Amino acid sequence: MGKNFIEADGDKIAERKRAKRREQGVALAILSPFVIVFVLFCVVPFIMGFAYSFMRYDPYNAEYTAFNGFKNYANLFNTADINVSKEFWESFGPMLLFDIVAVPVMMIIPFALAYFINMRPPFYKFFRACIYLPCVVSISIMGIMFGEMFAGDETGLINSWFGTNIDWLGGKPFENDILRWIIILIATIWWQTGTNFVIFSGALRDIPKSLYEACEMDGGGRWQSIIRVTVPNVRPAINITLFNTLIGFLSLYGQPYVLNTVENQNIYVSPMMFIQSYLSNGLAYAKQTGYLCASAIVFGVIIMLLSFIERRVMEERHPTAKHVAAYKRYCDFRTQRLEPLKGESK
């Protein structure tokens, strides 16, 4: 009897192991296409680019290829003698200035829209769909739409409406390109607000209504409920959206590229535009491939550092044993000081 029980128990364990292996096989089969694409188009190019950054490399001339050490990186920081290096570092200026303005805007507007939609006003489902719908549009279509609207002659929709002849998308960085950046910001808000809006909407729906009722009972108004209840409870969503938005705008490329004039096609307003423009010239800059790979590696390291700083600043800090002990000592000190005063009052 005992032997049969042990055998039956062993069969159950073996069956569970086989079932677990089958589940793992199904999971691996489902994940394998993504893993293969990720390895082929992300990991392998990164390894090749990292290796080329230490080489004098020409994809069209094998004899030119040789190990170059850190010369490409040294040339990248030699802005006094190499104009291309100066061009690379100057491309950070417009991008960072745009990020300082665009990142807070792309956090505040989606949050405000999600907050009001969460109140479920009339036709809120229609407005919710309208807010998210532009995310489905490709960046090329977005560029055509806003490019035609803000064309710099009488054919532009805005100019034809108001009878003006404003060059909306012209100008050079830090000189007379303010209108262009405003158009890029408006297009970005229209195109990308829906992504952060969906994340904030989900976070707002998870806040218990009892917290708002408790805040109202304590005399808190609408603004107090937002500060004391809403914002702390959507902090994880704020961290996610801030991280994604910051990374996206540090890699700014699509919007300035599609919203550009022919006269400004060689003006680089972000490091991504600098790298992509030189790599796409083919034979003209083939011998600079190693240098361009080095610039891409340096740019990636800068993005990683800024992302790390953002995560460290925004991460939720839990009280450590040291902080708890210090707070306890403070409470004991306050108690010792208040005890004589209580005796005097008696």
Side-chain angles (χ1 to χ4, degrees):
M1 182 70 178
K3 184 178 180 181
N4 294 335
F5 179 77
I6 293 173
E7 290 178 354
D9 190 51
D11 292 340
K12 290 181 179 179
I13 293 173
E15 180 61 29
R16 282 197 296 268
K17 289 183 178 179
R18 286 193 294 270
K20 187 176 182 179
R21 284 195 294 269
R22 284 195 298 269
E23 291 176 357
Q24 291 175 345
V26 172
L28 185 61
I30 294 173
L31 292 174
S32 57
F34 171 80
V35 173
I36 292 171
V37 172
F38 178 76
V39 171
L40 290 178
F41 295 99
C42 292
V43 177
V44 173
F46 171 77
I47 295 173
M48 293 175 64
F50 184 75
Y52 292 154
S53 68
F54 295 97
M55 299 171 63
R56 189 185 64 190
Y57 177 72
D58 183 353
Y60 303 101
N61 185 5
E63 296 179 356
Y64 180 79
T65 302
F67 181 73
N68 213 15
F70 288 92
K71 188 175 180 180
N72 290 327
Y73 291 94
N75 290 336
L76 188 63
F77 289 94
N78 185 9
T79 58
D81 300 326
I82 302 177
N83 290 330
V84 179
S85 299
K86 184 180 180 181
E87 214 171 283
F88 170 72
W89 292 108
E90 286 178 348
S91 67
F92 278 83
M95 178 200 67
L96 292 176
L97 184 60
F98 178 76
D99 290 357
I100 290 173
V101 177
V103 172
V105 169
M106 289 301 296
M107 296 292 295
I108 295 171
I109 291 179
F111 177 79
L113 292 173
Y115 182 81
F116 288 115
I117 290 294
N118 193 54
M119 297 178 182
R120 299 195 173 185
F123 308 106
Y124 75 94
K125 292 184 178 180
F126 171 76
F127 292 119
R128 185 170 60 190
C130 291
I131 293 170
Y132 182 74
L133 190 60
C135 293
V136 183
V137 177
S138 68
I139 191 169
S140 301
I141 301 300
M142 183 274 289
I144 294 172
M145 290 172 56
F146 280 85
E148 291 297 326
M149 287 175 61
F150 293 96
D153 51 26
E154 64 276 2
T155 62
L157 182 62
I158 302 300
N159 281 337
S160 64
W161 277 358
F162 295 98
T164 57
N165 193 23
I166 301 174
D167 187 11
W168 298 95
L169 302 177
K172 296 181 179 180
F174 300 113
E175 291 184 12
N176 51 354
D177 65 335
I178 183 66
L179 287 177
R180 181 189 176 199
W181 283 110
I182 292 175
I183 303 308
I184 292 175
L185 180 60
I186 293 173
T188 302
I189 293 171
W190 178 84
W191 183 48
Q192 293 186 325
T193 293
T195 303
N196 290 348
F197 167 78
V198 169
I199 297 174
F200 282 128
S201 296
L204 289 170
R205 283 197 297 269
D206 290 338
I207 300 176
K209 293 183 179 180
S210 58
L211 296 178
Y212 290 107
E213 294 172 356
C215 181
E216 186 178 354
M217 292 176 64
D218 290 339
R222 177 61 58 84
W223 181 247
Q224 288 294 326
S225 68
I226 294 174
I227 298 298
R228 304 296 182 183
V229 178
T230 306
V231 173
N233 281 276
V234 298
R235 185 181 177 89
I238 293 175
N239 292 340
I240 294 172
T241 53
L242 179 59
F243 179 79
N244 293 338
T245 306
L246 181 63
I247 294 298
F249 285 147
L250 287 174
S251 303
L252 185 68
Y253 175 73
Q255 295 94 312
Y257 181 79
V258 297
L259 295 173
N260 203 359
T261 57
V262 177
E263 295 80 8
N264 289 347
Q265 61 183 355
N266 294 323
I267 296 178
Y268 311 121
V269 295
S270 71
M272 279 294 294
M273 288 191 70
F274 171 87
I275 296 168
Q276 290 287 346
S277 297
Y278 276 98
L279 284 176
S280 62
N281 281 323
L283 289 170
Y285 295 97
K287 292 184 178 180
Q288 302 296 329
T289 302
Y291 171 84
L292 295 172
C293 289
S295 63
I297 295 295
V298 170
F299 178 52
V301 170
I302 292 173
I303 290 180
M304 291 174 61
L305 289 174
L306 293 175
S307 304
F308 176 76
I309 293 171
E310 184 270 334
R311 297 295 291 176
R312 290 292 296 174
V313 171
M314 293 299 297
E315 71 178 356
E316 188 174 355
R317 292 174 176 80
H318 299 283
T320 61
K322 180 180 179 181
H323 294 125
V324 173
Y327 180 72
K328 185 178 179 182
R329 289 195 300 269
Y330 170 75
C331 292
D332 293 340
F333 173 74
R334 292 283 297 173
T335 304
Q336 292 173 2
R337 289 193 62 183
L338 291 174
E339 281 180 352
L341 297 176
K342 291 181 180 178
E344 291 177 2
S345 63
K346 291 180 181 179

